[in-house]
Amino acid sequence: MVPLLLALAAAAIVIGVVVHVGHTLADELRPPRAPNGAGTDGIGAAAERRRFLRLIGISAVGAVPATILPVALRTHGDVAATAEEPARGPGGRVRQWTMIIDLRFCDGCQSQGTPPRCTTACIEGHLAPEPMEWIQVFEQELPGGGTQFIPTPCLQCQNPPCVNVCPVGATFSTPEGVVLIDQERCIGCRICMAACPYDRRFFNWSDPPVPPEALLADYSPDHQVPATRGTVMKCDMCPDLARAGTLPYCIQACPNDAIYYGDLEEDIATNGRSVVAVSKFLTDNQAYQLKEHLGTKPRVYYVAGHGQAVGRDPYTTGRLPTEWPWLRRVEGARVWNR
Amino acid sequence: MEPVTDYRRRLEEATVRPALGVSRGFWVLVAGLLTVIAWGLYAWTTQLHDGLIVTGMRDRIAWGLYISVFVFFIGISHAGTLISAILRVTKAGWRAPITRIAEFITVVALVCGASMIVVDMGRPDRLANVLIHGRWQSPILWDVLAISTYLTASLVYLYMPMIPDLAFFRDRLAGEVPRWRSRLYRMLALGWRGLPGQRTALLKAIGILMIVIIPVAVSVHTVVSWIFGMTLRVGWNSTIFGLLFVAGAIFSGIATLVIVMAVLRKLYHLEEYITEKHFVNLGYLLAAFTLIMMYINASEYLTTGFKLEEGEEFLFRQLFLGQFAGLYWFYFLGGLAIPGLLILVKRTRTIAGVVTAAVLVDLAMFVERYFIVISAQRVPLMPYVPFEYTPTWVEWSIFGAGLALFVLIIAVFVKVFPIMAVWEIVEEHEGTHAEEQRLASAEDRL
Ligand code: SF4
Ligand code: SF4
Ligand code: SF4
């Protein structure tokens, strides 16, 4: 509201200046009055010149584009935020959510004979429109042949290229270290999609195909339901579930317990079955991050592997394609390919 | 040499002619352009109704033709700055008859380019958010700032040197044109009477503006390049992008100016003022820029291609051998090599030759914008099959409407405003005239 008023005020000032310049210019340029005698001609010309110059100066000020004034006048940052208070650990310190994905346990749900459960559960939990896979299970070749599966949520970068480029502060980092998107503010410029080096952002190219119950949800950037056309979405790391003491949908659904979720401050994480000390777990298993050399500082860590801990043969390739289980309940939905 | 007054009278008549009377051909042109624009608007309404799903863009290539066209238009807007500011600063006298056209191309191209951004937005209804919530840290805000500054500055810069000519129109066309136009000229001429004080003030103001506008123009296409250069994408993540874009902008700006000049010259018989010399001089500039572009391309592709970091190989293959090879080699051969040769070879260094070169350059620069925007996004960031982007009819229609709008505004402008800076040309002519007389009398004395 305040910036809007400032914008109006700025526009008014600029218009005022322009009108004033117009008036004065018209006055100034009226032919000089009858000469009062010899010598006044030169003085008149000089004065006239001075006045004209002053006018040009004023018009140059008037030419400062009005569009930028509200931004220029703003002193505080204006970035979207969630309404929720950040979760705090025992010492009162804000939780720093983190995720560790142990690839030794991930077989792309080949053993289940289903599409990757994490992906499906996330889709169901968020009523995510087809074809968004907020956590997408990529299949990558291994150096010696065979493949591994890499479940890839948004990596919650701590130097997030997507947040850095957003023109309206619609995508933002929370105190908990999570990157969220305010779909009520996003203007759909998609520069964040161009900037994300992991291709973790998805766009609603049309009215998103969502089941009717999505429309009943209370919107918040924490869970992004209901989806709206012309805005960007991605994995939100489920901070609302974490605050409520539950694990994200993807982790709950993983039959192999391959994904851990936790708090870097308290140095603790769980996959729903066992609890580990994050720092020790990362070090002992030589955890890494995706594309570390880019300097994006992801909050999501990986432990290298190809499902060997759950008996997967790396030479058995392929997984079942993702399904949007609620899609058949949506009538006349318009879907698109990625 | 004929007396200056005769020269002036003929020049004035040549300038006034387009503003008097409208031919049938003109209406046919306007009707044609309006049809194209109407079709584009129809395409846009389908897009507004269904969303960006009607375009060929998807998550993995999220910027397409619209952004390429935006970059292209902002590029040709550099025509005005180069001709009117740089040539004015360097006191290149021959520029006088073409400055007005150049400055006008700037303004129109900026308007057309900026509208492409609105078309590309997923939520055009939230445009105001950019003002309400704008963040300085975002390259998009830099673009908004730079382009709006450039637009205001070039409007002022178009208008100021036009004041004396508007006053001339006011006096010359009184009674011959409809009342609203007389009133328009009177208002815009600001009571100009050519008094010495007014002249000095005007010259001073122009002098300040022409210096100010050069850095503004350079900054504009630099920050346009930075909406790409500020990402970590292979193909965009380059420090040379600002330079590449600014050079390309001036390059395509000159080409567009040559084309518009050639058309106006033919239509309104301005052969006496816009001469072969103008085309050849601009042709030399074009030739110089073909070399600059080649140099920048070589620096960019050699330094990245030598090292072949992750993803670069994919980019190079699709650019030079695969997918985009046709476009790339058209750009390189048709847009840089051949135009350069056309101008450097004496036999083709004619008006026809330079215009051909200019058309090729504009086509090539459009193609270049396109493959720069698309090819980098086609490099897969994760292990997946690359996405294929093809613009849909909606995108082509809106692009066509953009071009039609560009031509339409110029056509209308030509009918209402003085297309040549009469007073500057006369001054220039007087200058050469006096110089010749001085030389002649010097010879007499010898
Ligand atoms: S698309 Fe939305 S979230 Fe992404 S940069 Fe633009 S405004 Fe920000
Ligand atoms: S992975 Fe992409 S979307 Fe997620 S925080 Fe990093 S840059 Fe942003
Ligand atoms: S953390 Fe939540 S939003 Fe992210 S992939 Fe898992 S379920 Fe989906």
Side-chain angles (χ1 to χ4, degrees):
Chain A
M1 200 57 223
V2 174
L4 196 64
L5 286 178
L6 283 179
L8 287 178
I13 294 171
V14 171
I15 293 170
V17 170
V18 169
V19 169
H20 175 75
V21 169
H23 272 292
T24 343
L25 210 50
D27 285 349
E28 299 283 334
L29 290 173
R30 224 158 258 152
R33 307 240 158 73
N36 303 331
T40 49
D41 240 340
I43 299 168
E48 187 192 337
R49 186 159 60 236
R50 261 201 313 278
R51 271 173 289 171
F52 197 99
L53 276 178
R54 200 174 60 226
L55 291 170
I56 301 289
I58 300 173
S59 18
V61 175
V64 170
T67 51
I68 57 131
L69 280 177
V71 187
L73 294 176
R74 196 168 48 230
T75 48
H76 59 94
D78 178 22
V79 182
T82 94
E84 302 299 322
E85 271 295 303
R88 288 177 190 277
R93 284 184 296 187
V94 175
R95 301 262 192 208
Q96 295 299 314
W97 301 129
T98 182
M99 206 188 252
I100 309 153
I101 302 179
D102 192 340
L103 299 181
R104 293 171 301 192
F105 286 85
C106 176
D107 64 354
C109 286
Q110 277 178 330
S111 58
Q112 312 295 314
T114 61
R117 292 269 183 89
C118 55
T119 317
T120 318
C122 172
I123 289 169
E124 263 187 283
H126 293 90
L127 303 170
E130 186 177 359
M132 297 185 186
E133 296 174 58
W134 293 359
I135 180 165
Q136 186 166 4
V137 180
F138 291 111
E139 185 172 15
Q140 180 161 287
E141 311 247 312
L142 289 166
T147 60
Q148 66 177 155
F149 289 107
I150 311 179
T152 320
C154 163
L155 302 176
Q156 315 298 344
C157 307
Q158 298 308 294
N159 174 21
C162 55
V163 172
N164 293 344
V165 295
C166 179
V168 294
T171 188
F172 58 97
S173 302
T174 69
E176 297 167 346
V178 172
V179 172
L180 296 180
I181 306 167
D182 182 349
Q183 278 91 6
E184 290 178 345
R185 183 186 283 200
C186 171
I187 59 171
C189 66
R190 311 193 291 294
I191 193 175
C192 54
M193 303 179 73
C196 171
Y198 306 95
D199 190 43
R200 284 338 304 140
R201 300 176 79 93
F202 307 81
F203 191 66
N204 284 304
W205 294 96
S206 181
D207 284 323
V210 287
E213 60 264 33
L215 303 174
L216 300 174
D218 220 2
Y219 172 79
S220 150
D222 284 335
H223 49 69
Q224 314 175 72
V225 191
T228 33
R229 168 211 280 214
T231 59
V232 173
M233 308 184 92
K234 67 166 187 71
C235 157
D236 49 35
M237 232 193 181
C238 294
D240 50 350
L241 296 191
R243 273 184 228 115
T246 335
L247 288 170
Y249 304 110
C250 54
I251 299 179
Q252 291 184 34
C254 178
N256 300 336
D257 303 315
I259 314 177
Y260 293 78
Y261 190 90
D263 172 15
L264 288 174
E265 276 294 345
E266 207 187 329
D267 202 15
I268 190 169
T270 176
N271 57 359
R273 196 162 302 268
S274 52
V275 174
V276 296
V278 179
S279 53
K280 186 161 179 347
F281 190 76
L282 294 181
T283 302
D284 285 353
N285 295 299
Q286 301 210 7
Y288 66 98
Q289 296 150 314
L290 293 189
K291 307 194 190 190
E292 283 162 356
H293 62 282
L294 294 179
T296 50
K297 303 196 176 74
R299 262 295 166 79
V300 175
Y301 296 88
Y302 287 87
V303 175
H306 48 71
Q308 62 268 50
V310 287
R312 173 178 173 254
D313 165 24
Y315 299 100
T316 317
T317 57
R319 62 164 178 89
L320 292 178
T322 308
E323 275 168 16
W324 281 258
W326 43 264
L327 201 67
R328 65 191 91 87
R329 286 189 280 129
V330 188
E331 283 195 16
R334 209 163 164 188
V335 295
W336 55 84
N337 295 321
R338 273 210 80 184
Chain B
M1 207 174 196
E2 61 180 325
V4 169
T5 43
D6 283 0
Y7 179 83
R8 185 183 188 121
R9 196 164 334 109
R10 271 189 300 112
L11 173 62
E12 290 183 349
E13 283 320 302
T15 314
V16 164
R17 209 177 304 123
L20 286 171
V22 175
S23 66
R24 260 250 302 285
F26 181 79
W27 288 123
V28 172
L29 174 73
V30 169
L33 292 174
L34 283 177
T35 320
V36 178
I37 293 174
W39 177 254
L41 284 178
Y42 165 70
W44 194 34
T45 53
T46 42
Q47 179 178 312
L48 288 177
H49 184 264
D50 291 350
L52 287 166
I53 194 171
V54 297
T55 68
M57 298 182 276
R58 290 298 178 264
D59 291 347
R60 280 166 185 161
I61 296 194
W63 277 346
L65 189 64
Y66 296 148
I67 294 288
S68 322
V69 176
F70 158 73
V71 178
F72 178 70
F73 267 130
I74 303 296
I76 57 183
S77 79
H78 285 55
T81 317
L82 178 91
I83 302 310
S84 30
I86 300 184
L87 296 186
R88 225 192 281 256
V89 170
T90 54
K91 297 208 165 54
W94 55 272
R95 91 201 123 82
I98 56 178
T99 48
R100 181 68 37 80
I101 303 171
E103 282 150 19
F104 194 64
I105 292 176
T106 298
V107 173
V108 182
L110 282 177
V111 172
C112 294
S115 52
M116 280 297 147
I117 286 297
V118 180
V119 170
D120 186 68
M121 284 171 63
R123 296 301 295 242
D125 53 316
R126 295 183 183 168
L127 187 58
N129 277 9
V130 178
L131 308 187
I132 302 169
H133 302 296
R135 284 169 76 238
W136 279 123
Q137 296 89 326
S138 165
I140 295 211
L141 250 279
W142 309 343
D143 272 31
V144 172
L145 168 64
I147 292 176
S148 57
T149 310
Y150 190 36
L151 182 59
T152 346
S154 25
L155 271 174
V156 178
Y157 193 47
L158 168 71
Y159 172 59
M160 288 239 191
M162 200 158 67
I163 294 176
D165 299 320
L166 286 165
F168 158 61
F169 263 36
R170 170 197 64 196
D171 304 337
R172 171 66 178 70
L173 292 180
E176 285 188 55
V177 289
R179 270 263 291 287
W180 67 268
R181 270 175 67 183
S182 306
R183 207 172 296 151
L184 182 72
Y185 296 140
R186 186 150 9 98
M187 215 171 72
L188 291 179
L190 293 177
W192 175 268
R193 289 156 47 86
L195 301 174
Q198 292 181 331
R199 284 183 59 89
T200 332
L202 185 71
L203 287 178
K204 208 158 207 158
I206 295 176
I208 297 171
L209 265 176
M210 73 187 177
I211 305 286
V212 170
I213 206 161
I214 294 175
V216 174
V218 170
S219 78
V220 167
H221 230 256
T222 310
V223 296
V224 165
S225 85
W226 283 347
I227 64 174
F228 309 103
M230 291 297 157
T231 68
L232 291 164
R233 261 179 206 269
V234 165
W236 288 353
N237 182 2
S238 156
T239 50
I240 214 169
F241 249 42
L243 190 56
L244 172 67
F245 273 47
V246 171
I250 299 176
F251 190 41
S252 57
I254 305 169
T256 311
L257 176 64
V258 167
I259 298 170
V260 175
M261 253 166 58
V263 173
L264 292 182
R265 175 175 186 266
K266 257 257 131 53
L267 281 181
Y268 297 116
H269 309 291
L270 305 176
E271 283 86 354
E272 187 184 346
Y273 310 100
I274 301 180
T275 61
E276 180 155 9
K277 180 176 160 198
H278 292 105
F279 286 93
V280 170
N281 279 350
L282 288 178
Y284 284 140
L285 277 176
L286 271 185
F289 270 91
T290 58
L291 296 179
I292 296 176
M293 293 299 287
M294 283 186 197
Y295 168 72
I296 299 177
N297 272 292
S299 322
E300 164 76 8
Y301 292 134
L302 195 62
T303 49
T304 49
F306 189 86
K307 296 168 283 189
L308 273 194
E309 279 183 60
E310 185 191 351
E312 297 284 1
E313 187 183 348
F314 186 93
L315 180 76
F316 274 60
R317 279 189 187 282
Q318 62 175 9
L319 204 53
F320 300 140
L321 304 169
Q323 220 81 16
F324 300 92
L327 297 179
Y328 180 80
W329 292 111
F330 168 71
Y331 155 76
F332 189 83
L333 297 173
L336 300 180
I338 296 178
L341 286 178
L342 277 176
I343 291 153
L344 294 182
V345 174
K346 193 152 193 303
R347 280 215 13 227
T348 49
R349 201 187 304 142
T350 57
I351 295 185
V354 174
V355 174
T356 317
V359 173
L360 281 174
V361 166
D362 256 346
L363 283 175
M365 283 312 293
F366 175 73
V367 163
E368 191 232 17
R369 303 314 193 190
Y370 181 83
F371 70 65
I372 284 188
V373 173
I374 312 297
S375 69
Q377 293 178 84
R378 198 173 164 273
V379 180
L381 298 171
M382 300 298 288
Y384 55 71
V385 186
F387 177 73
E388 305 297 339
Y389 165 76
T390 350
T392 59
W393 70 270
V394 174
E395 290 168 277
W396 287 118
S397 308
I398 293 179
F399 169 40
L403 287 182
L405 183 70
F406 181 75
V407 180
L408 180 71
I409 305 181
I410 290 191
V412 171
F413 174 85
V414 166
K415 286 285 164 200
V416 180
F417 293 101
I419 51 170
M420 287 192 292
V422 175
W423 66 283
E424 279 191 274
I425 303 176
V426 169
E427 232 155 64
E428 177 55 34
H429 186 77
E430 277 168 1
T432 23
H433 196 66
E435 181 72 1
E436 269 166 29
Q437 273 180 343
R438 203 179 55 79
L439 285 177
S441 61
E443 269 169 28
D444 283 351
R445 271 202 304 279
L446 278 175

